[in-house]
Amino acid sequence: MFAALPTSPMILLATDPAAATTEVTEPAFEWMTVTALVLAPLILVFLARSRGWRPPKRHGHFLPTPWRLSPMVGPILFGVSMVLGGIGASIGSSLIAGDASVMTKNVVVMWGGLGGALLACVPAAVIWKDRPAPLNAARPMGWAAGVLAAGLMLLIAIPLVQAVSAIGQFVQTWLSSEAPSNIAHQTLRLMIDSPRDLWWWLLAAGAVIGAPILEEILYRGFIQQSARKVGMGPWSASIITGGLFALMHLSAIPTENRISALSGLAVLGVGLGLLRERTGRLDACIYAHAGFNLFNLALATALT
């Protein structure tokens, strides 16, 4: 698993699939899978008994998180962000020399897409500053509590995502008789096979810092809160947003990995949505998302 930008189709135009051949060593992968499959049921039992995942309630009703956009503003800004991200990626692509390396092309296109997409988030910041929080909104956690909640969510999500992905791999192998790759994202494959030069670190910064910031604003900020404001509950809003979050990574995932990768990303997306509801803080989702990407990058580079 490795989260991608919404503009990943343009980024991957510069990727040479033949250049990515490294795989996670089989014993290490099997050890991780067995550990995750053992931990996942224990985590589910813990969540069921503690009910710590539940968003705040008042008078029996779930409270909305303190987001201040109207229902239609979120989807509009989401769409504008996609368009501007594509334009930024195209501009970056046009500035790349023809003999540039695959890594250089990916970095320039990624940061061009990030810069363009983040421009659409500026109006949201202005609106948020000028509008009061809804009167019935849940009180946000403090910053320190939000960080702790993000860390706890990450510890819970990693085994669950790994376990669901392992089941997805089994299903995909059963359906296609083709064993999925252990590296389920094109950008991650490229980083594993590339030298640790300046361009590598710039791509890592985009994946670990830039992409989580942008994606959490788009999905847990714009889409999820719009869904909540039209009357959806926290679970249904988190599931819909998590599903969209997973599907938007489709072009960055090899065909043989789609069932396992998309199912794992959907679990991660739902978890991030519930974290948003529980804490009332978008930055907590960014920390957890960044930690997840960093974990995957560090693990893949350490085991290959």
Side-chain angles (χ1 to χ4, degrees):
M1 298 299 161
F2 202 66
L5 295 173
T7 51
S8 57
M10 304 197 73
I11 293 173
L12 294 177
L13 290 177
T15 303
D16 179 9
T21 57
T22 304
E23 293 292 337
V24 175
T25 55
E26 197 66 28
F29 181 75
E30 290 177 356
W31 175 82
M32 288 172 51
T33 301
V34 171
T35 302
L37 290 172
V38 171
L39 288 177
L42 299 177
I43 290 173
L44 292 176
V45 171
F46 166 77
L47 291 176
R49 293 183 63 86
S50 66
R51 299 188 178 183
W53 46 266
R54 293 183 303 174
K57 282 185 176 181
R58 183 181 298 147
H59 306 305
H61 298 286
F62 289 112
L63 298 176
T65 55
W67 194 252
R68 309 178 189 189
L69 300 179
S70 63
M72 288 306 299
V73 171
I76 290 173
L77 291 178
F78 182 93
V80 172
S81 180
M82 289 291 178
V83 173
L84 293 181
I87 293 174
S90 297
I91 293 174
S93 179
S94 67
L95 298 176
I96 302 171
D99 58 350
S101 67
V102 172
M103 177 62 75
T104 301
K105 294 176 181 178
N106 272 264
V107 169
V108 175
V109 173
M110 171 181 275
W111 279 105
L114 272 172
L118 285 170
L119 286 177
C121 302
V122 174
V126 175
I127 296 172
W128 181 88
K129 182 178 179 181
D130 291 340
R131 291 187 180 180
L135 294 177
N136 64 334
R139 185 181 181 87
M141 284 186 178
W143 179 82
V147 172
L148 291 176
L152 179 59
M153 181 268 173
L154 193 60
L155 291 176
I156 291 172
I158 288 175
L160 290 179
V161 170
Q162 180 66 26
V164 170
S165 298
I167 295 172
Q169 283 191 326
F170 173 80
V171 171
Q172 186 134 8
T173 302
W174 177 67
L175 290 175
S176 64
S177 300
E178 181 180 2
S181 167
N182 294 334
I183 303 298
H185 196 286
Q186 301 266 22
T187 303
L188 184 54
R189 288 183 177 186
L190 174 64
M191 296 184 72
I192 291 171
D193 289 325
S194 300
R196 307 300 190 266
D197 56 9
L198 175 62
W199 294 107
W200 189 94
W201 288 104
L202 287 173
L203 188 62
V208 175
I209 300 174
I213 291 174
L214 174 63
E215 291 184 338
E216 291 313 307
I217 292 174
L218 295 182
Y219 295 101
R220 260 58 65 177
F222 295 163
I223 299 300
Q224 181 166 330
Q225 294 313 299
S226 293
R228 291 284 272 124
K229 291 217 169 186
V230 297
M232 289 187 183
W235 266 100
S236 56
S238 297
I239 290 171
I240 289 175
T241 306
L244 177 62
F245 169 75
L247 287 174
M248 291 300 291
H249 293 76
L250 185 64
S251 62
I253 299 171
T255 303
E256 70 272 15
N257 286 96
R258 285 184 174 171
I259 294 178
S260 59
L262 291 179
S263 58
L265 279 173
V267 170
L268 175 65
V270 173
L272 290 169
L274 293 175
L275 178 66
R276 175 77 171 100
E277 296 285 351
R278 180 66 179 171
T279 64
R281 302 189 64 95
L282 193 60
D283 58 348
C285 300
I286 294 172
Y287 302 144
H289 192 155
F292 183 83
N293 284 9
L294 179 61
F295 171 81
N296 279 276
L297 177 58
L299 187 67
T301 52
L303 295 180
T304 52

